[in-house]
Amino acid sequence: MGQAKLLKTTLILPRVETHEAVSKLAELEWFHTLQNPSEHSSSYFDDLLLNAQKLFQEIDEVIRSLGISLETGVMATLFKGAPQEKTDYKIDDIQNFIVELENKSKTLLEEPVSLLKTKQIIEKDLEEYRNALDAIGGASKLKMDLSGLRNLKTFFAEIFIINSKDLHEIQNSLGDLIVHPVKLNDEKSSITVIGSQEDSEKIMKVLRSFNVHPIQIPSDLPQNPSSAYDMCQKTTKELEKKYAEITKKIEKLKVTILPKLLSLYESSKTAKDILEITRKPAGTKNFAIIQGYIPVSMENKFKTLTDRYISITESVKPDRDSPDQLPTLLVNNRYTKTFEVITETQGLPNYGEVDPTPIIAYVWPVFYGLMFGDLGHGLLLFGLGMFLRYRGIGNLKTWATLLAASGAAASIAGLGTGEMFGFHIDKIAILGPIFEPLGPLIGALNVSELTFDQVIKILKVSVAIGIVHMLMALFLRLRNDIIEKNKLVIYTHDIPSIIQFLAVVALILAAIGSGYDIIGMFGVTGVIHNEPVPWLTFLFGDWVTVDLVAKATPPIIFATVGVMILGGKKEQEHAAKHGDDEGGGLMGIVIEVILVRIIEVLSNVISYTRLGIMLLVHAALLVTVNQSYESGGGLAVLIGGNIGIMLIEGLIVYIQTIRLHLYEWFPKWYRGAGVGFKKLIPDMLYSNLVWSGKRTK
């Protein structure tokens, strides 16, 4: 688990054979191309790329026109399921792959393209007739031929539809011209305006000021408004019927061809992207140089596939001064790989840096389970996650697995709290005998009573987990600086930070051991606290008392502060010598070390109490729901309350879990500035590329 070790590879070959070399690298899959384009290209390669781009564009247009989503959403997956069918493509090289895709696309796209064109024609006709209905709708009661009026040579005559309230004002504006009104309904009237040809401009200007225009009937319709309106209505109904039929036919076809269409889209995009990435490799006019990275485990296969060319492999090491950043390829088992999505929220690790995913894979369930500890809720969450995982694909399947893992952790924690839907497991008759062999483990972290001692116990466990988590981050930062040989930072920051953190934690534990007599434990009140210190006395013996810790830790904390201040001053001096910003000076360093870092340590430790607090909130909500049920609320209250708690608490607990990682843990040591390893052939959801295998051992 962690990161794969990489090799840098170089291929030298005749430029005319570039497409063949790319085919072999595509068969390898695990090849991260180094982008170093030149001005030289191969005409054959360019033609191949053009065909791939054209093919992808045709398929993409059909996908868009059909309204097909490339990823199935959560609700669609839940109720319908995502397409699970995969199409196999048996190929020898990238050229044959594109030819096969072209042949399959011609067969598959013929019917949907035809239906879409017909639908488009119907939509256009329907829009025209609807516009015509809108244009002549107000004049639908007029039974006169407009063509006769518009053919007059000596006179100008036109019919307008106006608001009835504007009639008097329009008549006054037109003066002595003939205006013949006809009331159509309570709001609208038609007016026929007659005048000489010289009056036409005046008539149109007046009517435009009222936002009125002459009735326009399309030339292919009868020029009688009443007849034209009746014809438009009839034709519109026929077109709407045809539109509904063809839409239904298209929807039915979508279901039939969806998996194969998505496979064609995915495969054509893959072919296009491969050719675009590898186009115009470095080199001369006649020879090409293709460079990239491969995992060490692929070295033999790479050499076998490229035995026709000059191929060179060399080991790589991280170099912070190099302009080419090494890509990161995470290699984790099936369970751990699920949690890579959490790592990616903070960015991938740099090459050679510790991959936090294996740590998250075990810490995440602990955090989530402790905050959401209920056997019943955990099992439901696990079942939902597994159901989505079974029906989902791609990224959603990963998140579903994460949900299932969180649910499983909550179930185990539920055994520790002894709770199932807020009821005591040992009081549920059917479950008592089943869990009896587990004995004291059931209810070891009981939250049902919510007594002061029980609350303190839960918070102690939370803080203990937080201390371990924080120490892990501090030691990981120390490891990074040791690898990078930052001696100044190691001795004046990393090691003092660890010592200071342990001293602050010991002081917090001493305060708990003294019964929270924070002032008195330092001997100010004359009382000597010889009480044991939680965990420390258990680990190191009875000689570790509150009084000893209270006296020993302050000097240690002050000593680490002094070392940190000295280190910060030297770092600023070093930066000044290299022309960098000198920072806030000595005063800025003192403020940062004394106020910022110590307070940060305290806030970080306290922040982990949310693990216990969320568990207590979860238990309190369930107690409320169950009491309402027992008081006569009925099953509706019990079921609805549990569903509500699961939805709200499940989301809140997720947010709190990821917050503890993103704000408390990652910033202490993790950079997350890595570049992802990009395979030539990505992980495909709807396609399987089956290579001939003739060139591989």
Side-chain angles (χ1 to χ4, degrees), residues 615-659:
L615 176 62
L616 295 172
V617 169
H618 187 73
L621 290 173
L622 284 172
V623 167
T624 303
V625 169
N626 292 343
Q627 286 179 349
S628 299
Y629 164 70
E630 292 170 355
S631 300
L635 284 174
V637 171
L638 183 65
I639 296 172
N642 274 273
I643 291 174
I645 290 171
M646 279 192 65
L647 292 174
I648 298 172
E649 282 286 307
L651 178 61
I652 293 175
V653 167
Y654 165 79
I655 293 171
Q656 297 301 333
T657 304
I658 203 167
R659 184 197 180 283

Side-chain angles (χ1 to χ4, degrees), residues 100-169:
E100 183 180 356
L101 290 174
E102 287 174 338
N103 294 334
K104 287 192 174 185
S105 67
K106 286 178 183 178
T107 304
L108 188 67
L109 299 183
E110 184 177 358
E111 186 176 2
V113 168
S114 175
L115 290 174
L116 287 169
K117 285 183 179 178
T118 304
K119 182 182 178 182
Q120 191 176 14
I121 293 170
I122 293 173
E123 281 180 334
K124 184 179 178 182
D125 292 342
L126 193 56
E127 184 180 5
E128 289 178 355
Y129 277 98
R130 282 172 174 168
N131 289 337
L133 280 174
D134 292 338
I136 61 179
S140 60
K141 294 183 178 180
L142 294 177
K143 297 182 179 181
M144 59 183 299
D145 192 350
L146 300 183
S147 58
L149 287 175
R150 290 166 181 168
N151 289 333
L152 296 174
K153 296 182 179 179
T154 305
F155 293 96
F156 173 84
E158 196 62 81
I159 298 178
F160 303 88
I161 305 298
I162 65 169
N163 292 321
S164 299
K165 63 180 182 179
D166 297 330
L167 176 61
H168 184 68
E169 189 174 350

Side-chain angles (χ1 to χ4, degrees), residues 111-365:
E111 186 176 2
V113 168
S114 175
L115 290 174
L116 287 169
K117 285 183 179 178
T118 304
K119 182 182 178 182
Q120 191 176 14
I121 293 170
I122 293 173
E123 281 180 334
K124 184 179 178 182
D125 292 342
L126 193 56
E127 184 180 5
E128 289 178 355
Y129 277 98
R130 282 172 174 168
N131 289 337
L133 280 174
D134 292 338
I136 61 179
S140 60
K141 294 183 178 180
L142 294 177
K143 297 182 179 181
M144 59 183 299
D145 192 350
L146 300 183
S147 58
L149 287 175
R150 290 166 181 168
N151 289 333
L152 296 174
K153 296 182 179 179
T154 305
F155 293 96
F156 173 84
E158 196 62 81
I159 298 178
F160 303 88
I161 305 298
I162 65 169
N163 292 321
S164 299
K165 63 180 182 179
D166 297 330
L167 176 61
H168 184 68
E169 189 174 350
I170 291 173
Q171 287 176 327
N172 291 337
S173 300
L174 293 176
D176 296 333
L177 296 177
I178 298 173
V179 179
H180 178 68
V182 176
K183 188 174 182 180
L184 301 175
N185 52 48
D186 293 339
E187 296 181 356
K188 298 289 183 179
S189 297
S190 71
I191 58 171
T192 303
V193 183
I194 302 174
S196 64
Q197 290 292 340
E198 289 79 10
D199 293 326
S200 61
E201 185 176 348
K202 175 185 176 182
I203 293 170
M204 296 303 295
K205 185 176 181 180
V206 169
L207 271 299
R208 276 199 300 268
S209 68
F210 289 89
N211 196 27
V212 174
H213 302 279
I215 296 174
Q216 295 293 333
I217 300 177
S219 58
D220 58 335
L221 293 175
Q223 294 303 298
N224 183 306
S226 180
S227 301
Y229 188 79
D230 291 340
M231 184 175 179
C232 281
Q233 276 190 320
K234 182 180 178 181
T235 307
T236 299
K237 289 180 180 178
E238 292 175 354
L239 288 172
E240 286 175 344
K241 184 179 179 181
K242 288 182 180 179
Y243 184 82
E245 289 175 353
I246 199 164
T247 301
K248 187 176 180 180
K249 194 172 182 179
I250 289 173
E251 289 300 319
K252 187 176 180 180
L253 180 65
K254 273 171 60 175
V255 176
T256 305
I257 67 172
L258 180 62
K260 294 187 180 297
L261 188 58
L262 288 173
S263 174
L264 272 178
Y265 174 88
E266 182 181 58
S267 301
S268 62
K269 185 177 186 303
T270 298
K272 175 186 73 72
D273 291 346
I274 290 171
L275 295 174
E276 286 178 344
I277 291 171
T278 54
R279 187 189 180 203
K280 292 185 177 181
T284 63
K285 182 178 180 181
N286 297 319
F287 287 92
I289 300 175
I290 302 176
Q291 291 184 309
Y293 298 100
I294 63 170
V296 171
S297 59
M298 291 288 170
E299 183 177 10
N300 291 335
K301 186 176 181 180
F302 172 78
K303 289 182 177 179
T304 301
L305 289 170
T306 59
D307 57 359
R308 287 182 54 192
Y309 314 116
I310 299 175
S311 64
I312 304 168
T313 60
E314 54 185 320
S315 58
V316 296
K317 292 182 179 180
D319 185 359
R320 298 177 67 182
D321 298 325
S322 174
D324 297 324
Q325 188 175 358
L326 296 174
T328 299
L329 175 60
L330 301 182
V331 183
N332 292 299
N333 58 37
R334 290 183 62 183
Y335 169 75
T336 306
K337 194 173 183 62
T338 300
F339 295 86
E340 288 179 5
V341 293
I342 306 300
T343 299
E344 289 167 3
T345 59
Q346 192 71 4
L348 290 171
N350 293 315
Y351 183 77
E353 188 179 6
V354 172
D355 175 20
T357 309
I359 302 172
I360 296 171
Y362 294 97
V363 173
W364 178 283

Side-chain angles (χ1 to χ4, degrees), residues 593-604:
V593 171
I594 296 178
L595 297 181
V596 177
R597 293 186 185 175
I598 295 178
I599 293 174
E600 184 182 32
V601 169
L602 288 169
S603 65
N604 290 151

Side-chain angles (χ1 to χ4, degrees), residues 549-623:
V549 172
K551 290 178 179 178
T553 51
I556 294 174
I557 293 173
F558 289 133
T560 56
V561 166
V563 173
M564 287 180 176
I565 292 173
L566 179 62
K569 188 172 182 300
K570 288 187 176 181
E571 285 182 30
Q572 284 193 0
E573 291 173 354
H574 180 74
K577 289 180 181 178
H578 291 80
D580 298 328
D581 184 15
E582 295 184 16
L586 181 60
M587 184 57 67
I589 296 171
V590 172
I591 293 173
E592 180 186 358
V593 171
I594 296 178
L595 297 181
V596 177
R597 293 186 185 175
I598 295 178
I599 293 174
E600 184 182 32
V601 169
L602 288 169
S603 65
N604 290 151
V605 174
I606 294 171
S607 184
Y608 282 89
T609 59
R610 71 186 66 239
L611 295 172
I613 291 171
M614 290 305 303
L615 176 62
L616 295 172
V617 169
H618 187 73
L621 290 173
L622 284 172
V623 167

Side-chain angles (χ1 to χ4, degrees), residues 373 413-420 423-426 441-446:
L415 294 176
T417 60
E419 300 289 320
M420 183 172 185
F423 296 103
H424 302 307
I425 293 176
D426 56 358
L441 292 177
I442 303 297
L445 200 63
N446 186 13

